[in-house]
Amino acid sequence: MKTEWLAKLHEWEQKAQKRQLRRAEASGASVILNGKRMLNLASNNYLGLADDRRLIEAGCEAMRVYGVGAGASRLVVGNHPLYERAEAALKQWKNAEAALIFNSGYTANIGVLTALIGRDDLVFSDELNHASLIDGIRLSKATCFRYRHNDIDQLESLLKQSPPAKRKWIVTDAVFSMDGDMAPLKELVELKRRYRAVLLVDEAHSGGVFGPNGEGLLHHFGLEKEEDVIAIGTFSKALGSFGAYVTGEPWLVEYLVNSARSLIFTTALPPAVLAANEAAIRIVQSEPERRERLHALSERFRAKLKRLGFDTGGSETPIVPVIVGPNDRAVAMSELLQEAGIAAVAIRPPTVPEGTARIRFSLTAAMTEEDVEMAVDRIALAGKQVGLI
């Protein structure tokens, strides 16, 4: 058995697909990667809140008062009053009747999908959905149909051909983490209505970034009150902390508390994390200038790369990929960028389709215009060195 695993590791290495852990210490717009300080263009700390003093102080105070660990799952004795405060803040922020916090985006997606979707259901999943959505669908044992990325026509064709009596689910990311483009939520809602389906949207990369108060892409398009829509979000990206959440009607939360295995059978989040989550919700609502700055920097960065001849795909968010193609060339470009002081990671299959290896850049509000100019210059040089432009 060991021989087989070693052979697989060798195969990944030969295909330039082998991954490795690197020591990283992030702070603001920079990161110390393997001992070298670099401009951090590889994080998902979109609003620059991960080291915000107010989140730190909220977490430290909670730790001083309540200790480090939760001590049990939420359904035993781990449902700390700080959960109630954070979930109340969520309800107010999202203008929802109820909210439920999970330990991570991965456990939220797996828990919600397996609790709500049955083996007799039909699921229609965007082919570029996050791995946590894919795994949740698999664990549900439902029949799954993958539709081409954001292809509304193919999705409708699949829905038309499905048995009318079957319960149907449309599952999608709101913002796609490797491409930086948005799901066509208005069109998906229309199909949801037409074919009496349920739409599940993962707002992981849109929460805090889009919407009048950073609520997410559903709010951005005015779809937050649409029936038969379930939204999942995370604290671990734009909100700078950790954990995830579901918002909706009270029955949904009550049902998940009684059926979501990833909630029932895991130790609750530490009090410090819950306190930081509540602080982050308040900041996201009260400081829209963070979002405005983020979008301005992102647009500037993307436009400059496109003018240089880089392929940034369909990006329209702070996630800006540069499509490279072969795995080895993406790895080479990533290494050149790191030598030049830019933290940028090569994303390769199976995370992205074969032949579309890329450098995925992510902007944050902690950056300056000077940071963007410097990054573009060094990316241009690396692109020329690997023959991309």
Side-chain angles (χ1 to χ4, degrees), residues 153-342:
D153 291 336
Q154 189 195 22
L155 173 56
E156 180 162 24
S157 177
L158 291 169
L159 286 163
K160 275 182 181 177
Q161 296 171 41
S162 63
K166 292 276 190 177
R167 185 167 58 183
K168 303 171 184 65
W169 296 78
I170 301 170
V171 177
T172 185
D173 280 311
V175 168
F176 291 87
S177 60
M178 295 299 135
D179 289 69
D181 56 349
M182 302 179 189
L185 291 184
K186 289 184 177 180
E187 291 88 344
L188 291 177
V189 164
E190 285 299 319
L191 290 183
K192 181 268 302 180
R193 293 173 183 166
R194 193 175 305 153
Y195 295 95
R196 301 179 65 186
V198 180
L199 174 63
L200 188 144
V201 181
D202 182 354
E203 295 262 27
H205 290 274
S206 53
V209 177
F210 292 96
N213 295 296
E215 305 96 327
L217 206 61
L218 284 165
H219 286 71
H220 176 76
F221 290 121
L223 302 170
E224 68 275 11
K225 290 300 182 181
E226 184 72 28
E227 290 186 1
D228 296 323
V229 173
I230 295 171
I232 300 173
T234 180
F235 293 105
S236 64
K237 295 177 174 58
L239 276 75
S241 184
F242 191 69
Y245 56 85
V246 178
T247 53
E249 297 180 61
W251 72 263
L252 174 63
V253 167
E254 186 176 1
Y255 188 84
L256 292 173
V257 166
N258 284 275
S259 60
R261 293 169 65 85
S262 63
L263 176 87
I264 296 169
F265 298 107
T266 194
T267 297
L269 286 170
V273 172
L274 295 169
N277 289 348
E278 183 188 359
I281 294 168
R282 308 295 185 199
I283 294 170
V284 166
Q285 294 178 86
S286 63
E287 298 182 3
E289 62 273 13
R290 288 178 180 268
R291 283 186 296 284
E292 293 165 5
R293 177 170 188 77
L294 174 65
H295 290 300
L297 290 172
S298 302
E299 178 55 37
R300 183 187 187 96
F301 179 74
R302 182 170 45 250
K304 285 180 173 291
L305 291 182
K306 290 172 76 172
R307 280 199 295 271
L308 286 166
F310 287 108
D311 178 3
T312 61
S315 170
E316 49 189 329
T317 70
I319 300 168
V320 184
V322 164
I323 312 300
V324 177
N327 295 342
D328 55 354
R329 187 156 68 164
V331 171
M333 186 170 175
S334 174
E335 291 173 350
L336 286 170
L337 287 170
Q338 290 180 36
E339 290 171 8
I342 303 293

